Amino acid sequence: MSTLAVGLMYGGATLAVMASGMPIALALGAVAVIFMYFFMPAASLDTVTQNVYEEMASITLLSIPLFILKGAAIGKSRAGQDLYAAMHVWMGRIPGGLGIANVFACALFAAMAGSSPATCSAIGSAGIPEMRKRGYSPGFAAGIIAAGGTLGILLPPSITMILYAVAAEQSLGRLFLAGIFPGVLLVALFAAYAAFRYRKEYKLAEAEYKVSGTASALLANETFTRRQKFEMLPRVVPFVLLLIGVMVALYGGFATPSETAGLGGLLALALIAAIYSVWRPSDLAPIMKSTIRESTMLMMIIGMSLLYSYVMSYLHISQSVAESIVAMHLPRWELLFAILVMVVVLGFFLPPVSIILMTAPIILPPLRAANFDIIWFGVVMTIVMEMGLIHPPVGLNIFVIRNVAPDIPLREVIWGTLPFVLLMMFAVLLLCFVPGISTWLPDLVMGPDGSR
């Protein structure tokens, strides 16, 4: 049987199994094992567990559950809500300040947790009710949190970037540095849109008040005293210092990513124990349960995705696809466009973890041949996958928002996120025209990269 026929069967079987509703990890593992049985030597089935274990036994992957622990310690305590509240108090007088505060709170929490769903849940549970209480439309409030949550896979320590570094065999520190300025760019774009949309809604509220005499909560001016502002700092500053300390330890070369993650997790537990008295077993149980559940889910997806990629490689499917793409002799930018469109389509159905591990063996060789910077592409690909978190049909962050605010119709949530999808597209275009936004900082800190 030809490689093309096997590849089509492999892809068709994957789509069919996923359409059945089977969990992603089990679906990928089942397809891989079935094709190992029919198309690979019989002895290969004896090595399934060994292959999965060897793929997962990476010191870099060890940082994932530790970063998740740090995020859970902050998200399951009052630290996330206090972070949001401090942002709100300090930015309350800026037009659209509450929306901008939520964007910044999402960015800071994402940089601490490294997880998009955790960011949406932690900030959204406090931010959405507060914005709606102050007159923000439901779709606008939901869109801000859903889009702000996507920053969790771009701003370091990003779990998605850790997996990309493993799959692409690139420096994790360089990749983390490459994501900082694009992350700041997205924060600025989101904040600017929040201010613009606020002014638009404010004018509509004024017009409604002149016609009907009904005053929207949006028209109320809320002010905070200097004392109230400084009273918020003691609980927030320690966590900001924790974030800075983690960054210094990682980028300063004082600790490996795994050591940094472990230290960050322990310090986060120590901080919530000292500040919020979260130290009893009953208090720590939700944190540990959340960490174990999310870590197990991710590690299962990682292990089965890598087994899936191994079978794809053994059957020469990935190599044939890469060779076919190269044989098309597309100009380098058309090649990049075709690959990013493929990532967008996959984002309709799959989470970023699966997209990276399934496509890396296929797309990276042609990109290297076209002389693209693999670190730069990792940032661009991450932003494209961020879009998949807030557009249908899967849109993981959309469903997180639905859990946080079930009374907001799904249609309004989706329409609220679409402007942010357009802003992400603009950021991708900007990175293509000005790649230095991503590459300048890692080249400055770690020297020029030779893997281009």
Side-chain angles (χ1 to χ4, degrees):
M1 189 176 295
S2 68
T3 302
L4 175 61
V6 174
L8 292 175
M9 290 174 59
Y10 200 62
T14 303
L15 292 176
V17 173
M18 286 186 172
S20 70
M22 184 182 295
I24 291 174
L26 296 181
L28 296 177
V31 172
V33 170
I34 290 171
F35 274 75
M36 289 176 77
Y37 178 81
F38 285 105
F39 296 99
M40 293 173 64
S44 62
L45 289 173
D46 298 330
T47 64
V48 170
T49 54
Q50 178 183 347
N51 284 332
V52 172
Y53 173 78
E54 288 179 352
E55 296 289 2
M56 293 172 62
S58 165
I59 193 66
T60 303
L61 292 181
L62 175 63
S63 61
I64 291 178
L66 296 173
F67 278 128
I68 291 175
L69 173 62
K70 183 176 68 135
I74 298 170
K76 295 297 179 180
S77 67
R78 286 180 51 201
Q81 296 180 7
D82 283 349
L83 174 67
Y84 156 75
M87 285 289 186
H88 169 48
V89 169
W90 277 88
M91 304 187 67
R93 298 188 63 180
I94 301 174
L98 182 57
I100 297 172
N102 276 281
V103 172
F104 286 171
C106 283
L108 282 175
F109 190 89
M112 294 180 188
S115 169
S116 290
T119 301
C120 273
S121 179
I123 303 302
S125 59
I128 292 178
E130 289 292 329
M131 282 190 284
R132 296 182 66 186
K133 186 169 70 176
R134 288 166 174 79
Y136 285 64
S137 64
F140 180 29
I144 287 175
I145 301 298
T150 65
L151 298 167
I153 68 170
L154 180 61
L155 291 170
S158 162
I159 293 171
T160 301
M161 282 191 166
I162 293 173
L163 297 178
Y164 180 85
V166 172
E169 299 179 348
Q170 297 293 313
S171 164
L172 180 59
R174 179 176 290 276
L175 191 60
F176 276 179
L177 285 169
I180 291 177
F181 280 172
V184 172
L185 171 65
L186 283 181
V187 170
L189 290 174
F190 291 173
Y193 172 74
F196 168 78
R197 175 67 181 271
Y198 172 85
R199 290 180 180 276
K200 183 178 179 181
E201 293 199 351
Y202 189 89
K203 289 180 180 178
L204 291 175
E206 282 186 325
E208 176 68 20
Y209 176 69
K210 291 178 181 178
V211 172
S212 65
T214 303
S216 167
L218 207 64
L219 302 177
N221 291 319
E222 187 176 14
T223 59
F224 298 94
T225 65
R226 186 175 303 229
R227 179 178 178 182
Q228 287 176 308
K229 292 181 178 180
F230 281 97
E231 283 178 348
M232 296 299 303
L233 293 182
R235 290 191 171 189
V236 175
V237 169
F239 292 97
V240 176
L241 293 177
L242 169 61
L243 170 62
I244 295 172
V246 167
M247 296 300 177
V248 170
L250 180 62
Y251 301 135
F254 300 108
T256 66
S258 299
E259 292 168 347
T260 304
L263 179 62
L266 291 175
L267 289 177
L269 290 174
L271 285 176
I272 63 172
I275 298 174
Y276 301 100
S277 299
V278 178
W279 54 269
R280 298 177 184 85
S282 58
D283 297 328
L284 294 174
I287 295 173
M288 297 304 172
K289 184 178 179 180
S290 175
T291 300
I292 293 172
R293 179 182 296 170
E294 189 170 347
S295 299
T296 302
M297 177 191 70
L298 278 174
M299 296 306 287
M300 284 292 292
I301 292 176
I302 292 167
M304 293 305 173
S305 295
L306 291 172
L307 178 66
Y308 183 92
S309 299
Y310 164 73
V311 175
M312 185 187 295
S313 178
Y314 185 93
L315 297 176
H316 296 283
I317 297 172
S318 55
Q319 295 93 322
S320 297
V321 172
E323 290 169 2
S324 299
I325 295 175
V326 173
M328 294 171 68
H329 299 294
L330 292 174
R332 65 195 304 261
W333 291 107
E334 289 183 18
L335 170 67
L336 177 68
F337 178 76
I339 289 175
L340 292 180
V341 168
M342 179 185 72
V343 173
V344 169
V345 173
L346 290 175
F348 290 162
F349 311 101
L350 297 173
V353 171
S354 297
I355 294 175
I356 288 174
L357 296 175
M358 290 172 61
T359 62
I362 298 174
I363 63 178
L364 292 182
L367 288 170
R368 285 194 177 97
N371 201 34
F372 278 106
D373 185 330
I374 300 302
I375 293 288
W376 168 86
F377 174 74
V379 174
V380 172
M381 183 179 182
T382 299
I383 296 176
V384 172
M385 290 187 295
E386 282 184 320
M387 293 160 48
L389 293 172
I390 57 174
H391 68 57
V394 175
L396 177 59
N397 284 14
I398 292 176
F399 293 103
V400 173
I401 295 298
R402 288 284 290 151
N403 288 331
V404 172
D407 58 321
I408 301 179
L410 181 62
R411 181 175 177 273
E412 289 193 34
V413 177
I414 292 173
W415 279 107
T417 61
L418 288 182
F420 295 96
V421 173
L422 296 177
L423 291 175
M424 290 178 186
M425 291 182 180
F426 173 74
V428 169
L429 286 174
L430 197 57
L431 281 169
C432 290
F433 285 106
V434 191
I437 296 173
S438 174
T439 59
W440 178 80
L441 186 58
D443 286 349
L444 176 68
V445 175
M446 305 180 72
D449 184 18
S451 58
R452 300 193 179 215

